[in-house]
Structure formats: C-alpha cells, structure tokens
C-alpha cells in the first residue's frame, strides 16, 4: 500500500538536475508531441462516423476508464485538497476545452489550417507559465520562441490560403484553454507523477462526460467504420491519456517553457500525417519551415531561463 507521502514525492526539476535526467525529460516531452501531432488527423477520421459532441464525450469516457483503471490498480490515493483546483484547471483545459473546440473547428477547417493553434501554443504556454510561476526566461529564449512561432504561423496560414474562417474563433479559444491546462499540469507534475495528473483530471470529468456521451449519442447519428473507430481510439488512448502522461512528465523534468517549445515541431508533424493519412498536399515551403523550426527549438533548449 502506497502512502500519501510516497505518492506525492516531488519530481526533480530542471535546475541542477543531472544531464541524463534532463535528456530523459526532453525525450518524454518529444514523445508527447508525436502523440499530439496525430490528434487532428485522428479527429478528422473520427468525424467520419461520429458527431463532434459524441466524439469528444466518448473519447473522454474511454480515456477516463483507462486512467481510472490504472489509478485503481496502482492504489493511488485521492489527491490532496490543495491540488484539486489545479486538477480542475487541467480538466477544463485539456480534457474538455481543447478537444471540444478543435473538434468543432475541424468540421469546417482542414487539419493544416487547424495546426495554427499548435503553432501558437508553445508561446502562449510559456507566457502563461511565466505569469503563473513567476519564472523569467532569458531574452534569447523569447527571441527564438517568437521566431519559431512566427515561422509556424506563416507556414500554416500559407497552407490554408491565408483565409480566416469562422472556425478560427474555436481555434483561438482552444489555444487559450489548452495553454492554461498545460501550465497548471506542468506545475502539478512537479509534486505528483505526470500520469496521475491527467488520470485524476480525466476521472474528475466523468460525472459530466458520461451523461454528455449518452445524450450526444442519442441525438447524433453514428456510423462505425475502420477510420472512425481508429480515430476515436487514438484520441482517447493516445492523445488524451498516454500522450499527456509523457508530456507532463517531460515538463516536470525540463520546465514548462522549454518543454512547450518542442511543440513548435508539432504542426509540421501534423502536416506529414495529414499527407499520409488524409491525402492532403504540402508545398515546397515545408522543408524550409521545418529547418527554421528545428533551429529555434535548438536555441530555446540551450537558452538559460
């Protein structure tokens, strides 16, 4: 039986940790980015057979079942009261807000256009993290972060033809709530294992997600296909749980601002998956933007906060 103290033992953070710990944190955060890069294509697949409300609610229920099973099997104690507000922020941002708003946007937006959200997310997360925790990254860090964000935004806007759609309101809203959830989740992951952060956030949403799933499924038609089922399973197990587990662990190890900059590569990965899975086409700007983003990531990882 695990005790409360062992379940909430602080995780080493970036300052003063051995190089192999920092490297491991970077690898885990990068694995989270790879998982997230498949979210938009998988959502597009899921929308082939589910309505947007059904898809979001069912993915939340499935992810919560997985997380709840892991929490029960590990006999993890209920989080302390002082952590529950933070878990509510994580739940509102990454369990409900971001999936719902981006799914609604993807009804009318291509995955390439929606990727602009992810392009802006690292900068927004770093800003909110600085406000929340009082950290002050260096000028070099911010310069590289702004340059990388600008490159990604320019690329994704060019891919969409430069047109703004009604889906942009959903996308910008998703950007803000997700950044808040990432920031609070990264903070909590320093005092409890990352998988418990997202696990409890998912379980916390069950009283809402279960009736929401039942109601949505009764109103929206469902057509089970290989694509729709695969898309649902990935956004539930891959994006909503496993990806966030390694992502929060990575943020706890290397810090929220630096981990968030790894997401600069996420829109480009999403576009690659869009070509392979959805048949979308890339322009010659893709390799040039990829090179610029990789340079910015390297600079932010080396810059001292």
């Amino acid at each position: 039986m695990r005790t409360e103290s062992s379940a909430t033992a602080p995780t080493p953070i970036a300052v003063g940790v051995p190089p192999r710990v920092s490297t491991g944190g970077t690898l885990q955060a990068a694995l989270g980015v790879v998982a997230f890069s498949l979210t938009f294509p998988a959502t597009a697949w899921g929308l082939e057979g589910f309505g947007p409300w059904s898809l979001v609610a069912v993915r939340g229920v499935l992810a919560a079942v997985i997380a709840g099973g892991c929490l029960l099997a590990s006999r993890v104690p209920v989080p302390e009261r002082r952590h529950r507000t933070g878990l509510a922020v994580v739940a509102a941002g990454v369990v409900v807000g971001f999936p719902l708003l981006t799914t609604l946007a993807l009804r009318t937006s291509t995955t390439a256009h929606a990727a602009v959200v992810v392009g802006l997310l690292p900068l927004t997360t770093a800003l909110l993290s600085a406000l929340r925790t009082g950290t002050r990254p260096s000028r070099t860090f911010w310069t590289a972060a702004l340059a990388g964000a600008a490159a990604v935004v320019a690329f994704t806007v060019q891919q969409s033809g430069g047109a703004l759609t009604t889906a942009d309101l959903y996308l910008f809203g998703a950007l803000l709530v997700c950044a808040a959830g990432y920031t609070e989740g990264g903070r909590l992951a320093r005092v409890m294992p990352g998988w418990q952060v997202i696990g409890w956030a998912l379980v916390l949403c069950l009283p809402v997600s279960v009736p929401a799933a039942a109601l949505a499924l009764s109103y929206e038609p469902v057509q089970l296909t290989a694509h729709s089922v695969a898309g649902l399973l990935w956004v539930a197990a891959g994006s909503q749980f496993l990806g966030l587990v390694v992502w929060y662990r990575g943020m706890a190890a290397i810090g929220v601002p630096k981990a968030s900059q790894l997401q600069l590569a996420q829109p480009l990965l999403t576009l690659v998956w869009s070509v392979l899975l959805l048949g979308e086409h890339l322009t010659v700007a893709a390799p040039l933007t990829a090179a610029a983003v990789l340079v910015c990531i390297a600079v932010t990882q080396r810059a001292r906060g």
Side-chain angles (χ1 to χ4, degrees), residues 233-262:
L233 292 177
W234 179 259
V235 294
S239 302
Q240 194 81 75
F241 183 61
L242 297 177
L244 284 168
V245 167
V246 293
W247 174 244
Y248 282 140
R249 290 186 66 178
M251 283 198 295
I254 65 175
V256 174
K258 287 190 176 182
S260 70
Q261 300 315 304
L262 292 174

Side-chain angles (χ1 to χ4, degrees), residues 24-123:
T26 300
L27 177 59
Q28 290 183 90
L31 289 175
V33 170
V34 173
F36 300 152
S37 71
L38 281 160
T39 300
F40 286 171
T43 300
W45 271 9
L47 287 172
E48 293 180 13
F50 294 88
W53 296 91
S54 298
L55 181 62
V56 173
V58 173
R59 75 181 270 185
V61 172
L62 291 178
V65 169
I66 297 172
C70 293
L71 291 169
L72 284 174
S74 301
R75 298 181 179 180
V76 178
V78 175
E80 298 176 27
R81 185 179 298 274
R82 61 192 176 95
H83 297 319
R84 294 176 189 175
T85 300
L87 288 172
V89 174
V90 175
V94 304
V95 176
V96 178
F98 187 79
L100 177 60
L101 292 172
T102 54
T103 298
L104 291 173
L106 285 170
R107 293 181 302 166
T108 57
S109 175
T110 64
T111 57
H113 186 78
V116 71
V117 172
V118 182
L120 293 173
L121 188 55
L123 180 58

